[in-house]
Amino acid sequence: MKKLGFGLMRLPTFPEGNASGAKAGEIDIEHVKQMVDAFLAEGFTYFDTAWMYHNFCSENAVKEALVDRHPRESYTLADKLHAAYLKSKDDRDAIFNEQLRKTGVDYFDYYMLHDMRVAHEKIYNDLDCFAWIRDKKEKGLVKEIGFSFHDNAAFLDKVLTEHPEMDFVQLQINYLDWESDAVQSRLCYEVARKHGKPIVVMEPVKGGTLANLPAGASRLLKQAHPELSEASWAVRFAAGLPGVRVVLSGMSSDAQMKDNLSHMKEFTPLTDAERQLLRRVADWVRSGIAVPCTGCSYCTTGCPVSISIPDYFALYNRGDAAQREEYLALNAKGGAPADCIGCGACEAVCPQELPIREELQAVAKRFA
């Protein structure tokens, strides 16, 4: 398969006050259909969704934009089961069967235990999810089984040692996190390679951070290749690693789709000189990030006071002159950082394990 995957977590949505009358934030299905068609037309086949993506609507979009319109053999589909939504063994089949119904497929090509980390592994073990997912494969309801991972390399080694039956692993890999002590991209990659597991890469652009570089870092890349986008460097970095099966990109516009297809249709790995350049860029970017949020928005779904947490963190990281006006505009749409009641629901589902409550206090303090 070609090495670009369509991540269905950041789909195009309708803006507030749109002419169609759709609700703000609602998925623009017609736009998604066009992107799906363009993706398939260039020979790419891998689509990735999950139970909670787009406020539990991503799987419905898969059915309408992909499954109902294209032959089953023309694409592969990955879906996931998340520990945060499991309270009993019955929930496993209840969610899985609903995922089959929502997507409209008879089987998943790839199925994962989502967001594997120490706390979630306990839930997966307590509810016997490893045996459960193997059973789905044996029955032909899943072709390959694996898990997405957010923890350290030592823990990854433990999970893969205990569960050699896992066919693949999905890891957060990008050139900014490659040597990160927190994410441990390189170390986790090396563990997966040691166990001989194919790797699916998530967050290659780190939630858009590596597609919107500081001016100085951006100049370094433009001097080397003025025709290439910032995002293309990040995707190529991940795609060129041996053992990487596919790199997921969460595309939310035609421009992002066109850019990804342009450099991944005939993929060329980075040279040694280009990798060295990215190390310099990473150092530059790392020095200016206050909160390493990837914008996945898992935290917003369960927030009791409707704080748009990723948007506030993005604003906080930017530090430009327009902050105050944008901050007040965000306040008008939902809860403000100062409204946080400290329940911790956001931190329980954050893949980056950020101290969100503490960071919200810092954001509130800056704008007070």
Side-chain angles (χ1 to χ4, degrees):
M1 85 175 55
K2 291 191 175 183
K3 281 195 168 184
L4 178 66
F6 194 162
L8 302 165
M9 184 171 73
R10 299 181 175 97
L11 295 172
T13 59
F14 287 103
E16 193 169 343
N18 62 87
S20 70
K23 294 180 180 178
E26 183 179 327
I27 296 172
D28 185 344
I29 291 294
E30 293 306 314
H31 193 169
V32 176
K33 288 178 181 178
Q34 294 171 16
M35 294 173 70
V36 164
D37 293 351
F39 189 76
L40 290 170
E42 294 294 351
F44 296 92
T45 59
Y46 193 106
F47 293 83
D48 173 271
T49 187
W51 178 243
M52 77 291 293
Y53 287 178
H54 267 289
N55 199 24
F56 304 94
C57 292
S58 175
E59 291 163 331
N60 302 86
V62 169
K63 184 178 190 302
E64 191 168 350
L66 174 66
V67 176
D68 286 348
R69 302 174 58 250
H70 293 278
R72 184 64 180 91
E73 65 275 10
S74 68
Y75 61 86
T76 58
L77 181 61
D79 211 332
K80 312 177 190 77
L81 181 77
H82 198 295
Y85 302 95
L86 298 176
K87 306 303 178 187
S88 70
K89 289 184 177 181
D90 290 341
D91 290 338
R92 302 170 306 178
D93 278 331
I95 291 174
F96 184 85
N97 291 336
E98 182 66 2
Q99 289 175 311
L100 288 175
R101 187 196 68 78
K102 288 172 71 177
T103 58
V105 297
D106 296 322
Y107 66 91
F108 294 112
D109 300 276
Y110 310 99
Y111 197 80
M112 285 164 269
L113 301 179
H114 197 14
D115 192 7
M116 186 69 66
R117 56 172 107 168
V118 173
H120 290 166
E121 186 209 27
K122 183 179 186 308
I123 296 172
Y124 290 135
N125 281 330
D126 288 348
L127 298 179
D128 203 19
C129 290
F130 288 97
W132 173 85
I133 198 174
R134 286 198 306 270
D135 181 65
K136 295 301 179 192
K137 180 180 177 180
E138 290 168 3
K139 291 178 177 175
L141 295 170
V142 175
K143 300 301 182 184
E144 289 192 26
I145 57 176
F147 57 88
S148 63
F149 187 78
H150 287 283
D151 214 303
N152 61 53
F155 181 63
L156 177 60
D157 191 41
K158 171 184 177 295
V159 177
L160 288 176
T161 299
E162 294 175 355
H163 297 285
E165 74 277 12
M166 295 291 104
D167 296 310
F168 68 100
V169 62
Q170 183 166 306
L171 301 176
Q172 178 171 318
I173 294 178
N174 56 69
Y175 69 80
L176 187 64
D177 291 326
W178 188 241
E179 298 294 349
S180 164
D181 291 335
V183 180
Q184 299 187 358
S185 280
R186 177 179 61 80
L187 295 176
C188 287
Y189 166 78
E190 290 171 353
V191 168
R193 293 289 286 160
K194 181 183 79 170
H195 286 270
K197 302 301 180 184
I199 299 164
V200 174
V201 172
M202 58 184 165
E203 298 293 353
V205 193
K206 200 170 175 67
T209 298
L210 301 182
N212 298 283
L213 297 172
S218 180
R219 276 196 300 272
L220 290 176
L221 298 185
K222 288 301 180 185
Q223 288 168 1
H225 291 290
E227 76 283 5
L228 296 179
S229 68
E230 296 169 3
S232 72
W233 285 84
V235 174
R236 288 173 60 225
F237 170 85
L241 295 169
V244 167
R245 168 185 280 167
V246 66
V247 177
L248 300 176
S249 178
M251 294 172 275
S252 57
S253 69
D254 291 327
Q256 291 174 3
M257 172 68 73
K258 183 177 180 181
D259 179 52
N260 276 332
L261 296 180
S262 70
H263 64 262
M264 290 301 289
K265 184 164 54 175
E266 300 295 336
F267 170 67
T268 304
L270 296 175
T271 64
D272 290 341
E274 289 171 331
R275 287 183 174 276
Q276 180 62 36
L277 179 59
L278 286 185
R279 282 194 282 272
R280 293 175 59 197
V281 172
D283 290 340
W284 196 314
V285 175
R286 199 177 293 113
S287 66
I289 294 180
V291 185
C293 170
T294 64
C296 71
S297 296
Y298 290 4
C299 55
T300 59
T301 302
C303 179
V305 288
S306 302
I307 302 173
S308 184
I309 297 168
D311 292 330
Y312 282 111
F313 286 165
L315 196 62
Y316 187 64
N317 284 335
R318 270 178 33 214
D320 60 29
Q323 280 186 326
R324 183 65 183 170
E325 291 75 14
E326 291 186 39
Y327 180 79
L328 293 175
L330 285 173
N331 285 184
K333 294 179 181 179
D339 297 329
C340 175
I341 61 174
C343 67
C346 53
E347 294 181 7
V349 296
C350 176
Q352 308 302 317
E353 299 187 352
L354 299 176
I356 294 175
R357 290 171 288 185
E358 178 183 325
E359 299 292 3
L360 283 175
Q361 291 178 16
V363 175
K365 184 177 180 180
R366 172 182 288 184
F367 292 101

